Amino acid sequence: MTDAAAHEPPSTPPIVARTGPLAGVRVVELVGLGPAPFGAMVLADYGADVVAVDRPAKVTGAPVASARMGVFNRNRRSVAVDLKSAEGLEIVRRLVDGADVFVEGFRPGVAERLGLGPDVLCERNPGLVYARMTGWGQDGPWADRAGHDINYVAMAGPLAHIGRVGQPPTVPLNLVGDFGGGGLLMALGVCAALVEKARSGLGQVLDVAMVDGASLISAPMVPAYVGGTFSDERGTNMLDSGAPWYDVYETADGGWVSVGAIEPQFYVELLDGLGLADDDLPPQHDRSGWPVLRERFAAVIAGRTRAEWEAVFEHRDACVAPVLTYREAAGHPHLAARRTYLSPDGAVQPAPAPRFSRTPAAVDRPPVPPGHDTDAVLADVGLTAEQVADLRRRGVVA
């Protein structure tokens, strides 16, 4: 960037035409790992114009092979900028000058050391919603520590209670901390801050910590365990595989079905569907009889294939459903009818959710490789083609 360009008054980038409830909102995201990109993807699904700022070193010139590996990059544009250069930092600041939301997922203090902290960006743009995604939060004794989903879920409490009796805690993929308690929480916080901004005209800083999110989504469980309604011993409670009528069972073909017949009317349907309605069985809530119920359920369910049990319970309100892999789920008639999964370019991925009646979310842009939109994005902030070419020659952008 020339000296003259660096001191030009910041221009407001034009909003890219999108549909959805967040159409007209611009988001600038410093690309990181996992949770923050997922949250930004949700905002992009809702129609926000998300500009992802990536590193020039990631620009290879090769297209994204498929959405299988690039799903987080859908619905957004990508610019590659060297954040170690003064000119690159100024480009990002100018992008943020015209943005509604800024997203970063660095450890506490890193954005400040780059010159992209809220002290700088929010002063330049008082209406900015500045979302900070970390594992442990911006403060506290563990704020500077490294960590991953398993650590946050372990520290917050959920991991201790997930698993079967007599077994170690079961790792629930990285869904609870990274995505449920992380990216989704960030997207919700951003939307709430934008609603408040519509009244006050002011932005604010969001401290989004995955350990906090893993705690928040445990809201129904915490009183049950802390208050003694549930036992700390894994696999002995109603909702943790302890109850035989809330568990999974193997079928004759090696498949699995899930059973969640909690309420009495659903339990009656379950017994009828299993052909056990007339058997002399222990009462549903008699814990001493649970081993007997589990043994009978397992033996009966093992006698038919998963497809056969699907047919048996097709028209019964028994809270029985097949356990499907992601590959299988995309083809299930109910999910196919709702288009819960999409397959752009043949790559299966979740559709945006929830469903909006007037301003539907959409997947209308395929994933792009890092730096794909550098020229267009820099033109948005007033740089000429000659200036962009000069910056590219010097490695400031790619």
Side-chain angles (χ1 to χ4, degrees):
M1 189 187 307
T2 64
D3 288 343
H7 293 92
E8 291 171 359
S11 58
T12 299
I15 297 297
V16 174
R18 298 292 310 284
T19 59
L22 293 184
V25 171
R26 167 159 289 192
V27 179
V28 175
E29 172 205 0
L30 293 189
V31 173
L33 297 175
F38 172 67
M41 182 203 79
V42 172
L43 299 175
D45 286 351
Y46 294 171
D49 175 27
V50 176
V51 175
V53 179
D54 222 320
R55 300 189 303 275
K58 292 178 66 175
V59 177
T60 64
V64 172
S66 78
R68 274 184 286 272
M69 298 304 295
V71 63
F72 287 167
N73 297 322
R74 73 188 188 191
N75 287 336
R76 59 188 358 118
R77 299 189 292 164
S78 174
V79 57
V81 179
D82 181 9
L83 299 183
K84 295 181 180 179
S85 73
E87 291 170 302
L89 289 172
E90 183 59 23
I91 288 172
V92 175
R93 293 185 191 112
R94 291 177 63 175
L95 280 171
V96 177
D97 285 343
D100 300 287
V101 180
F102 179 74
V103 173
E104 60 98 345
F106 299 138
R107 289 202 205 185
V110 172
E112 283 84 352
R113 290 194 290 274
L114 285 171
L116 297 174
D119 55 332
V120 173
L121 299 187
C122 295
E123 181 178 354
R124 292 171 64 120
N125 180 355
L128 184 67
V129 174
Y130 190 118
R132 320 194 74 172
M133 169 69 71
T134 62
W136 303 113
Q138 295 295 318
D139 53 25
W142 283 49
D144 291 327
R145 293 199 186 192
H148 280 296
D149 175 285
I150 190 171
N151 308 124
Y152 313 135
V153 175
M155 177 76 85
L159 187 56
H161 303 288
I162 300 174
R164 293 192 172 275
V165 64
Q167 296 295 314
T170 298
V171 180
L173 296 177
N174 64 326
L175 302 178
V176 176
D178 280 355
F179 303 122
L184 272 182
L185 185 66
M186 186 201 81
L188 174 63
V190 165
C191 290
L194 289 173
V195 170
E196 195 282 332
K197 176 184 171 181
R199 296 194 297 266
S200 69
L202 299 174
Q204 55 188 304
V205 180
L206 306 183
D207 176 359
V208 186
M210 286 172 265
V211 70
D212 295 346
S215 170
L216 178 63
I217 61 177
S218 301
M221 297 293 102
V222 173
Y225 283 101
V226 174
T229 304
F230 280 8
S231 168
D232 282 347
E233 184 180 3
R234 284 181 296 280
T236 63
N237 301 290
M238 182 177 71
L239 300 175
D240 64 359
S241 77
W245 30 266
Y246 199 90
D247 204 350
V248 294
Y249 292 92
E250 190 170 9
T251 58
D253 57 345
W256 297 83
V257 294
S258 66
V259 175
I262 299 175
E263 292 81 1
Q265 67 272 29
F266 304 142
Y267 185 70
V268 167
E269 284 291 319
L270 171 67
L271 296 184
D272 194 43
L274 294 177
L276 298 175
D278 297 325
D279 285 30
D280 184 18
L281 297 174
Q284 178 183 1
H285 295 286
D286 178 5
R287 285 177 176 265
S288 66
W290 281 4
V292 174
L293 289 177
R294 185 179 304 280
E295 183 179 0
R296 292 292 290 122
F297 292 174
V300 171
I301 293 174
R304 297 188 186 185
T305 66
R306 192 183 74 183
E308 288 174 325
W309 285 119
E310 286 187 74
V312 167
F313 287 101
E314 176 73 21
H315 301 294
R316 290 180 179 272
D317 265 344
C319 300
V320 174
V323 177
L324 305 179
T325 65
Y326 287 127
R327 186 177 292 107
E328 292 174 318
H332 188 276
H334 177 73
L335 302 187
R338 287 185 54 78
R339 303 194 74 228
T340 298
Y341 286 91
L342 305 176
S343 301
D345 301 322
V348 176
Q349 58 187 276
R355 313 294 171 88
F356 298 88
S357 63
R358 289 191 302 102
T359 57
V363 177
D364 53 16
R365 289 180 180 169
V368 296
H372 178 272
D373 306 289
T374 295
D375 287 20
V377 171
L378 297 188
D380 285 353
V381 294
L383 297 186
T384 66
E386 292 77 14
Q387 289 171 327
V388 174
D390 177 60
L391 292 169
R392 180 174 288 110
R393 278 193 299 270
R394 294 187 285 118
V396 178
V397 302

